[in-house]
Each structure stands twice: as C-alpha cells, then as structure tokens.
C-alpha cells in the first residue's frame, strides 16, 4: 500500500515529479468516454519508464494462444483491445534540446485529475540540459458528449529568449506490451499531413478494423511561420519553428479525432476524422470543454455518492464512479466493460463475468434502463457463439456456454481450468436478466431475448450435471468456482446454486409467458430441468452449519489466514500453484458470493456462520473480493469490518494496494466499491420488485448520501447518524421500504425519518 495522493473530495493530485511511480500515476490519470480513452501519459516526449496507451473500444486483435501443451477445445487466441495510434503526441525542442521530463531537472510538478469536470491538468517547471528553464501548463479531456474527440491545451513559457520547434504528430507505430507472440498489430493504410492537420489511417492485422486518428494543432496567436509537414509509414506530423522571447507564453490547442470502422464505413473513416476535427475547430476549445463539463455534471447528478467525515472514502468512491462512467456509457450494445477499462492492457480490455456480477447493479441504479439493457443485449447478440462454444465442448441441442473472456462472443481465455471449468459465468449472465427485470420492471425483455438466453443456459446446466448413484442426486463435477485457488473441484456450492436457480427461473418465466412468444422447449426437457433443480447436490456441513465450497473442502488443512506469515503474501506471488491449490485459502468470495446474490434466502445466523468460517480463510487476492464481504458485514452489523473491506476496494488503485496499479486501474472492481457503499451501507435492495433502503453509517462517517434512479423515481437519499432524508426529485410518487417500513413519497417531496 502506498501513500501517493492526498485525500481530496473531487481531485486526485500528484504533487511532485515521481519517475519511479510514473506508470501508477499514468493509470490513475486515465481519461475515457466509453468509446475511447487512454492512460495519463505526458503529451510531450517522455523517454522514462512509461506504458503508453490509447484504446479504442471494440478494436481488438486475436493474439494466438500461447500454451505449453495444447488441449482440444482450447481457444485459438486471446483477444486484446489494441494500443492504438496516439492522437496526443507532441515534441517540443528548445534551443535544439528535447523537452523530456526524464532528462530535464523538474521542479514544481503537479498533476491533477478533476473528477467533477473530467479534466486532467498538469503544470511544471523544468530546466533542460542546455540550461533553459521552461514552464508548462496543460489541460486535457476526452469529450463525453463527442465520443470521437479528445483535446488538450498546452502553454509553454521559456525563461530566456529561445528558438522553439514544436511538432504535433500522430504516432501510429505502437505495440501492446502484453502481446503473446508478435509485435506490430497495425498495417499502414495512408498518412496525410497538411498545414495544422495530421491523419494516420491504419488497419488492424487479421481483424481488419480500419482506424483514422487525426490531430489538429492551433495556436492561440497564429505564429508567423508555416507548418512544415512530414509523413512516413504510420506517422504524420506538422512542425513549427518559432523564436520566443523570455517570458512569452505560447498557447496551443490540439484536437484529436479517433474514428473506427466499427461505426463508420471503412472507406469513410478519414473523411469522418476530418469532419470531427472541422466541427471541433469551429466550436473552439473552451466551448468543447464547457460541453464536456456539462455532461460530467449531468452524470454526477445521477451517480454521485457523498460521504462526510471520511475524506479517504469520499475520494475513493468518487474515483471509482468516475472510472465507471469513463468506461461505459451504454449507448452501444456491442461495447462492454473490460476489467481495466481504458486504463491499461491487462485482461485484454475484454468482457468477463465481472460485467453482470459486479457492474450491472451500478448502471441499473444510476442510468436509464437502456444502458443496462445494452449490457444484456451484448450477451443476447452473442448467443449463437455461446452455443457454438458449448458444441465445441460436446454439448448439444442449443445448450450455451458463454465465454469466460470474450469480445466477439468467442471464448478466448487461455487457461483450461478457467476456460472449461469456470462455468459459473453462465449463472451470472442468467441472473443479470432477472436482476434487470426486477429493478426496471421491464419484463418484456424476456420475450425480447431474455428467454432465448435463459433456455440455452438451462440446457447447458441440465447437460453439465451427472447422476451420482452414490449420492442419489445430480452432481456437478470438475469445476472452478469464483475461488480460482481451487480447480477441478466437484460440486462447487456457488456454481450448483446458480445452476439450480437458473433452471427454476427459466421454468417459471416460460410458464408465465405467452406460449407463442417463447422458444420451443419439449415437455421432456422441462421435466428434466425441474428434476435437476430439485435433486442437485448442494454440499453442506451440518455440524458447522455451513455450505461447503465444494464436496471435499473440509479435507483440507483447516488453517486460516492468521496462521500465515506476512512473507507468504500475496500467495499468488509467493507460493507454487500446487501449494495454493491444496491449501484452504480462498482468493475471493465464493460461498459468500452466493449468499450475497440470494441474500434474502438466508437468515442472519446462517450468514454469520458462513462468514465466520470463510472470511478468515480468504486472502482477497482478487480485487473483486472485499466489496462482497463489505456488504455482508453490513448485513451482520459488523460495520468496522465492512468499512475496512469497503476502503480496501474503494482505494485499491489510489493507494496501489496490491502493487499492480501500474498495469491499469481495477475498473470492474470499482463497481464493487459502489456496491459496498450503496447496497452495503445504503442498504439498497429490491425485494419482490420493491425498493428497500436501510442506511447504516460505519464508525467515523457523519453522513452518506447517494442518488438513485428506480422505475420512474429519481431519489436523493441521505443519512446522518440522526436521521434519514429521502427526496423524491421526480413528479410521480415513489413507494419504498425504509428500514423495513413502507412509505410513499409524493413527487418533489422530501421525508425525514429519525434514526
Ligand atoms: C478474478 C475473476 C475476474 C478476473 C477479471 C480474476 O482475478 O478471479 O473473478 O473475472 O480477475 O477481473
């Protein structure tokens, strides 16, 4: 854990140049707008350690699988959202020396992410190796209202008279650091440079996405010199040579257009790129910025969380909400949420179960239903591929196994124990349909696609189980549960519970839906599903009164995390995989994940017994782990423990808790932080379609406030240690349960309830 940034409610500030943690800060200062985004790399040349990253949503490359010994059924590739040509590139030479913070002497360095406005500001004074002192101020944003546009303003002042050569370029010769085999994913198509305008059109190898990245550089006061232009393969630049006097500030604006053939005909990407730049030039930097800030303001109106009394928690939760709203805006059903969003390469920028299991609740409560529905449509559009995926593994008759990792519907996870065995993802995808319908009331979605997915997943579960004569029930053999520190186990309670639930929900949904609009399912199949749901083995230990993570879990040595030496941690870096697999240690919530998903089924003593058994064995080495424990700890009234877990997830990246923020931020776990606060401390849940709230503040918090959208109501909920206030900001009345008691709040009314 590092102490990198001071606590501040709306800003993340880096005070002082820190080359050693540069990658961490690049991750923290990432900006995105759901369509493209990138790391907080410096605009000007930087030769120090850095991970450059400009990522375009959905633009990927199928990197061939790398394994030691091939097994039938392995995916051929791992999909990677590519590092794309960079629109920001700027080179500044002062008296023939490059401005490069890695070689200059840097003073007064400050970088600031303004989360309220979605901007990144930077200022520094640097003395170059030739003794010239320069002062720089920059302000950057990735436009929320204009999904293809990024912009920055850059001011440079030299302390002495100097000759300054400024080159604004599009640098297309970029690679992914985590490539499996090959470097160079981009083929050049065309480069253009004229006056202040530079465009590089390139094409991804294999997937053949055509991408045009364009830049336009304008000076606040037009310099008297003309631009000299230059192009080479995958590179286009405009260069200006100026003579400046001491103290004179050169101010320039660079606009960047990021256009892809995912949304525009491949032959038109360059035209579109020029149109985006023309329109942005006409509008001008300040108006573009004002539009962008306005869009962020509207975002915060529906998604902000305010915590008083705990500045660290406040900053953490806002940073997380900022990350989520920068990653997915929900206007395109072909896009999804990579575990690192636009902040790094790890996990390939592709889709995991994280979306349904962690991110969906955030978008449900903070955005219009259409946004969440697009996450469901994404899976519905990939149903054919999920059926093919199951067929490759030997399943038949329309059974679907959704991939553990995908971008286009094809499985591309490269480890057998996860690819073939971590099948609980199917349960999360099925549950998301129910979760969406119970929250929004949009039960039409069942006939619009929900039932197709549910039926195909139910077919999978019904074929995946086997009949055990010994146990006289259906068993689920050879699986990996959410706890990836055990593989190839039998009867993972969570997976089997999800299977049972899916079968029952599908049966009930089919029965409730007009027969003409439902997929064809034979009576024999229906009977089989009912039987599997009835007689599936869900292992329990009666003596301890707990559910068993898997049938043989109790054969393990029953030590706890407290028995480990600190030098053993993190296990995934210190222990052999073999030792981890045999140990009782749990990577992330597993049984407890199921108890959270179906929380209303279990009474508190049952939850308490399971929590007390499993949490002490959990090392939380997945960023997705602490948030679920936080919610359950709130339910158990253990508010201290809940706060510890909530902070661990909310400040995970800001404090570089796991020493891996340099790879990018944990975007999907950011949704876990929101879950910990709003579903945990806010007590939000939906029971029988009704909204329930039950705010409880942990020690040290003086207040908690959050906004939610539910059905036609827009509610502002705030709690202090003395009272709870709920303001209904919409015109229609809202009925809800507060701490178990039902109340109706008229439109535009507010109620106060003493605690
Ligand atoms: C977790 C998975 C998760 C993946 C991507 C892994 O470490 O164990 O549950 O899907 O990260 O976030």
């Amino acid at each position: 854990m590092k102490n990198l940034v001071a606590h501040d409610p709306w800003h993340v500030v880096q005070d002082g140049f820190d080359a050693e943690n540069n990658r961490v800060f690049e991750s923290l200062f990432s900006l995105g707008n759901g369509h493209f985004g990138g790391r907080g790399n410096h605009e000007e040349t930087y030769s120090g350690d850095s991970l450059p990253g400009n990522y375009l949503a959905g633009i990927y490359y199928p990197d061939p699988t790398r394994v030691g010994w091939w097994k039938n059924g392995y995916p051929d590739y791992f999909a990677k959202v590519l590092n794309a040509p960079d629109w920001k590139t700027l080179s500044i030479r002062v008296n023939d020396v490059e401005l490069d913070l890695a070689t200059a002497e840097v003073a007064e360095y400050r970088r600031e992410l303004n989360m309220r406005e979605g901007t990144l500001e930077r200022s520094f004074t640097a003395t170059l190796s030739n003794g010239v002192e320069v002062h720089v101020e920059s302000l950057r944003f990735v436009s929320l209202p204009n999904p293809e546009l990024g912009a920055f303003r850059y001011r440079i002042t030299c302390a002495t008279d100097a000759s300054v050569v400024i080159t604004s370029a599009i640098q297309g010769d970029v690679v992914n650091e985590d490539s499996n085999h090959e470097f160079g994913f981009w083929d050049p198509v065309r480069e253009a440079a004229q006056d202040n305008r530079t465009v590089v059109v390139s094409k991804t190898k294999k997937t053949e996405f055509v991408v045009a990245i364009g830049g336009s550089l304008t000076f606040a006061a037009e310099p008297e010199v003309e631009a000299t232009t230059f192009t080479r393969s995958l590179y286009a630049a405009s260069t200006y040579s100026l003579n400046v006097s001491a103290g004179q500030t050169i101010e320039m604006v660079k606009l960047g257009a990021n256009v892809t053939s995912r949304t525009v005909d491949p032959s038109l990407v360059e035209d579109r790129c020029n149109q985006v730049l023309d329109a942005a030039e006409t509008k001008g930097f300040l108006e573009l910025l004002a539009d962008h800030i306005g869009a962020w303001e509207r975002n915060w109106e529906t998604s902000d969380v305010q915590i008083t009394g705990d500045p660290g928690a406040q900053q953490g939760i806002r940073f997380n909400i900022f990350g989520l709203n920068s990653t997915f805006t929900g206007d395109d059903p072909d896009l999804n949420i990579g575990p690192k969003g636009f902040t790094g390469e790890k996990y390939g920028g592709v889709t995991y179960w994280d979306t349904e299991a962690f991110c969906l609740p955030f978008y449900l409560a903070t955005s219009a239903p259409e946004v969440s529905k697009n996450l469901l449509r994404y899976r519905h559009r990939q149903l054919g591929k999920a059926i093919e995926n199951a067929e490759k593994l030997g399943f038949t008759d329309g059974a679907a196994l959704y991939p553990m990792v995908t971008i286009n519907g094809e499985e591309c996870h490269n480890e057998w124990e996860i690819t073939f065995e971590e099948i609980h993802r199917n349960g999360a995808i099925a549950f998301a349909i129910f979760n969406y319908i119970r929250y929004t009331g949009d039960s039409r979605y069942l006939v619009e696609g929900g039932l197709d997915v549910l039926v195909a997943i139910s077919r999978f579960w019904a074929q995946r189980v086997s009949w055990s004569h010994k146990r006289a029930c259906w068993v689920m053999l050879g699986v990996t549960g959410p706890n990836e520190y055990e593989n190839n186990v039998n009867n993972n309670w969570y997976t089997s519970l999800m299977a049972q639930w899916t079968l029952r929900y599908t049966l009930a949904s089919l029965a409730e839906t007009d027969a003409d609009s439902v997929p064809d399912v034979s009576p024999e199949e229906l009977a089989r599903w009912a039987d599997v749901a009835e007689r599936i083995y869900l292992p329990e230990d009666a003596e301890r009164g707990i559910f068993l993570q898997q049938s043989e879990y109790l054969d393990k040595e029953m030590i706890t995390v407290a028995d480990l030496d600190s030098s053993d941690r993190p296990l995934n870096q210190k222990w052999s995989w073999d030792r981890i697999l045999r140990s009782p240690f749990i990577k992330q919530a597993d049984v407890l994940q199921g108890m959270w998903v179906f929380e209303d089924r279990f009474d508190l003593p049952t939850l308490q017994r399971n929590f007390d058994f499993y949490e002490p064995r959990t090392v939380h080495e997945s960023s997705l782990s602490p948030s679920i424990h936080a919610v359950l700890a709130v339910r158990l009234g253990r508010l201290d423990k809940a706060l510890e877990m909530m902070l661990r997830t909310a400040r995970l990246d800001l404090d570089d808790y796991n020493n891996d923020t340099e790879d990018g931020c944990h975007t999907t776990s950011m949704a876990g932080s929101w879950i910990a606060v709003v579903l945990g401390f806010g007590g939000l849940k939906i029971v029988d379609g009704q909204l329930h709230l039950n705010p409880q503040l942990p020690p040290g918090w003086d207040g908690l406030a959050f906004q939610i959208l539910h059905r036609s109501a827009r509610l502002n909920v705030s709690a202090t240690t003395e009272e709870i206030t709920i303001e209904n900001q919409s015109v229609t009345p809202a009925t809800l349960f507060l701490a178990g008691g039902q109340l109706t709040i008229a439109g535009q009314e507010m109620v106060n309830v003493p605690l």
Side-chain angles (χ1 to χ4, degrees):
M1 178 169 162
K2 295 176 185 155
N3 212 348
L4 295 170
V5 296
H7 293 175
D8 179 303
W10 281 109
H11 302 93
V12 177
V13 178
Q14 175 189 2
D15 216 348
F17 186 61
D18 182 354
E20 201 185 313
N21 285 304
N22 185 47
R23 285 184 181 229
V24 177
F25 283 114
E26 287 176 339
S27 302
L28 297 180
F29 292 131
S30 299
L31 298 176
N33 64 4
H35 294 263
F36 81 101
R39 293 168 55 77
N41 311 121
H42 301 144
E43 289 93 5
E44 76 282 341
T45 303
Y46 184 67
S47 62
D49 184 40
S50 162
L51 177 64
N54 182 42
Y55 310 104
L56 312 173
I59 303 302
Y60 72 97
Y61 174 80
D63 206 10
T65 303
R66 193 176 56 181
V67 287
W69 202 270
W70 194 266
K71 291 191 167 55
N72 274 347
Y74 264 156
D76 296 328
Y77 65 91
F78 185 82
K80 293 197 161 96
V81 170
L82 290 181
N83 194 7
D86 190 10
W87 60 277
K88 298 185 293 296
T89 309
L90 197 65
S91 148
I92 297 183
R93 293 182 75 78
V94 181
N95 289 351
D96 275 341
V97 171
E98 186 78 24
L99 168 56
D100 173 357
L101 292 181
T103 56
E105 203 173 296
V106 189
E108 297 169 26
Y109 184 95
R110 186 179 159 90
R111 232 186 320 189
E112 175 177 312
L113 173 70
N114 180 331
M115 300 185 278
R116 192 199 290 264
E117 302 190 341
T119 55
L120 178 61
E121 284 187 73
R122 193 165 59 112
S123 64
F124 61 83
T125 302
T127 307
L128 308 191
S129 60
N130 57 9
V132 180
E133 185 186 285
V134 298
H135 179 73
V136 167
E137 288 172 10
S138 70
L139 170 65
R140 174 154 109 213
F141 63 94
V142 169
S143 173
L144 210 51
N146 192 337
E148 291 156 325
L149 186 78
F152 67 83
R153 185 180 64 202
Y154 198 91
R155 294 180 177 139
I156 176 164
T157 314
C158 300
T160 49
D161 293 358
S163 81
V164 180
V165 178
I166 297 169
T167 300
S168 160
I170 302 298
Q171 154 64 316
D173 193 9
V174 289
V175 294
N176 270 49
E177 260 193 10
D178 73 342
S179 136
N180 271 352
H181 298 275
E182 304 164 40
F183 283 99
F185 297 120
W186 296 94
D187 281 331
V189 176
R190 196 179 119 75
E191 300 80 22
Q194 197 181 2
D195 302 329
N196 70 339
R197 189 68 68 88
T198 46
V199 180
V200 168
V201 182
S202 49
K203 189 152 74 167
T204 57
K205 291 189 185 341
K206 293 190 188 168
T207 38
E208 303 199 337
F209 290 108
V210 183
V211 163
I213 307 291
S216 119
L217 189 81
T218 45
F219 291 87
E222 226 22 81
E224 279 158 23
V225 286
E226 298 275 294
T228 317
T229 56
F230 172 76
T231 60
R232 63 175 145 78
S233 177
L234 291 169
Y235 183 84
S238 302
T239 298
Y240 300 82
S241 301
L242 321 165
N243 288 315
V244 296
S245 36
Q248 182 191 341
T249 298
I250 310 170
E251 177 176 311
M252 56 200 129
V253 164
K254 184 166 184 183
L255 303 168
N258 293 257
V259 178
T260 79
S261 62
R262 217 183 51 72
T263 52
V264 174
D265 185 275
S267 62
L268 298 177
V269 289
E270 187 177 352
D271 289 351
R272 171 77 193 152
C273 187
N274 282 312
Q275 284 158 11
V276 170
L277 293 174
D278 289 344
E281 280 175 7
T282 308
K283 225 171 193 190
F285 183 78
L286 291 178
E287 214 179 303
L288 293 167
L289 176 63
D291 291 352
H292 170 73
I293 293 173
W296 268 107
E297 258 168 30
R298 287 188 292 284
N299 253 349
W300 287 113
E301 273 167 23
T302 54
S303 58
D304 192 23
V305 169
Q306 295 116 31
I307 296 169
T308 36
D310 189 340
Q314 173 66 85
Q315 184 184 40
I317 190 65
R318 285 220 174 99
F319 181 69
N320 291 183
I321 295 168
F322 179 76
L324 291 164
N325 284 331
S326 302
T327 307
F328 183 72
T329 51
D331 50 6
D332 183 339
D334 283 332
L335 298 183
N336 211 282
I337 307 152
K340 301 241 171 247
F342 298 115
T343 72
E345 297 177 2
K346 206 169 169 207
Y347 295 113
V350 292
T351 311
Y352 287 66
W353 74 304
D354 305 26
T355 292
E356 287 78 12
F358 290 84
C359 301
L360 183 70
F362 168 78
Y363 294 104
L364 276 174
T366 61
S367 309
E370 202 53 24
V371 169
S372 309
K373 197 171 189 174
N374 274 342
L375 289 174
L376 304 191
R377 287 191 180 117
Y378 178 90
R379 297 294 191 179
H380 183 243
R381 290 161 96 131
Q382 297 184 349
L383 178 58
K385 293 277 184 199
I387 293 173
E388 273 174 35
N389 184 39
E391 277 167 2
K392 279 188 204 154
L393 306 188
F395 296 87
T396 57
D397 303 320
L401 175 59
Y402 275 92
M404 186 63 188
V405 174
T406 193
I407 193 159
N408 58 8
E410 287 172 9
E411 174 64 82
C412 63
H413 199 286
N414 284 184
E415 289 168 293
W416 68 266
E417 60 275 26
I418 292 178
T419 311
F420 304 145
E421 297 203 329
E422 205 170 332
I423 52 178
H424 66 77
R425 69 243 187 187
N426 252 6
I429 291 165
F431 189 81
I433 296 169
F434 165 74
N435 209 4
Y436 167 80
I437 292 173
R438 80 171 163 178
Y439 197 92
T440 62
D442 177 15
S443 50
R444 286 280 315 153
Y445 185 68
L446 281 178
V447 293
E448 288 169 17
L451 272 172
D452 297 338
V453 172
L454 289 169
V455 164
I457 292 179
S458 292
R459 286 185 169 136
F460 172 81
W461 290 132
Q463 292 174 39
R464 183 59 171 75
V465 291
S466 20
W467 180 253
S468 161
H469 288 284
K470 180 178 148 207
R471 295 191 194 275
C473 52
W474 297 103
V475 290
M476 186 91 73
L477 307 179
V479 297
T480 296
N483 169 31
E484 292 174 347
Y485 287 180
E486 285 189 319
N487 302 144
N488 205 34
V489 296
N490 296 332
N491 304 306
N492 169 257
W493 182 81
Y494 172 79
T495 307
S496 298
L497 186 72
M498 292 309 284
Q500 181 190 54
W501 174 87
T502 313
L503 292 166
R504 288 190 172 147
Y505 180 59
T506 309
L507 286 166
S509 304
L510 285 171
E512 281 163 18
T513 312
D514 176 11
D516 295 342
S517 344
V518 303
D520 255 354
V521 188
S522 69
E524 295 72 34
E525 252 187 307
L526 295 175
R528 161 98 175 195
W529 295 356
D531 186 50
V532 172
E534 187 59 31
R535 297 196 286 164
I536 194 165
Y537 178 49
L538 293 166
E540 291 187 31
D541 180 58
E543 195 185 315
R544 289 179 173 79
I546 58 167
F547 305 112
L548 281 182
Q549 190 165 279
Q550 43 103 351
S551 336
E552 280 79 44
Y553 185 78
L554 291 177
D555 290 340
K556 296 188 162 192
E557 189 187 8
M558 282 294 108
I559 49 176
T560 67
V561 177
D563 299 313
L564 287 170
D565 193 85
S566 62
S567 62
D568 290 319
R569 311 281 307 276
L571 298 185
N572 61 20
Q573 286 167 26
K574 302 292 176 62
W575 281 14
S576 73
W577 192 241
D578 165 67
R579 190 170 175 197
I580 289 177
L581 291 178
R582 285 183 286 110
S583 84
F585 296 115
I586 302 170
K587 183 182 182 189
Q588 68 201 85
D590 193 308
V591 164
L592 295 180
Q593 182 85 22
M595 297 197 76
W596 171 60
V597 173
F598 300 112
E599 60 173 315
D600 290 317
R601 283 200 199 172
F602 306 105
D603 58 21
L604 285 181
T606 309
L607 175 61
Q608 187 159 318
R609 284 193 304 276
N610 282 277
F611 192 93
D612 287 346
F613 182 77
Y614 286 110
E615 201 281 330
R617 293 175 168 79
T618 304
V619 283
H620 303 292
E621 285 176 13
S622 159
S623 65
L624 300 176
S625 187
S627 51
I628 301 308
H629 289 82
V631 182
L632 297 178
V634 174
R635 301 290 187 261
L636 291 171
R638 298 188 189 167
L639 298 179
D640 279 321
K641 180 78 186 169
L643 181 61
E644 177 203 325
M645 291 283 126
M646 177 266 161
L647 286 174
R648 189 154 162 180
T649 178
R651 296 197 58 85
L652 180 76
D653 291 313
L654 289 175
D655 294 337
D656 196 9
Y657 212 98
N658 288 349
N659 217 12
D660 62 357
T661 303
E662 60 181 11
D663 297 334
C665 294
H666 298 78
T667 305
T668 48
S669 115
M670 290 177 168
S673 309
W674 181 90
I675 288 175
V677 175
V678 177
L679 275 55
F681 296 121
L684 186 158
K685 58 183 177 176
I686 307 292
V687 185
D688 298 331
Q690 304 275 359
L691 177 67
H692 286 239
L693 294 163
N694 186 17
Q696 294 178 68
L697 305 192
W701 288 18
D702 301 325
L704 165 66
F706 53 89
Q707 346 294 321
I708 48 166
L709 300 165
H710 179 250
R711 308 278 169 115
S712 56
R714 187 168 146 173
L715 303 174
N716 196 340
V717 182
S718 65
T720 64
T721 43
E722 272 132 44
E723 63 174 9
I724 299 167
T725 307
I726 305 181
E727 188 192 343
N728 179 2
Q729 295 175 324
S730 37
V731 283
T732 47
T735 298
L736 55 97
F737 289 80
L738 185 60
Q742 192 171 15
L743 63 124
T744 298
I745 312 172
Q748 320 245 286
E749 289 289 316
M750 186 192 269
V751 294
N752 285 315
V753 181
L755 270 184

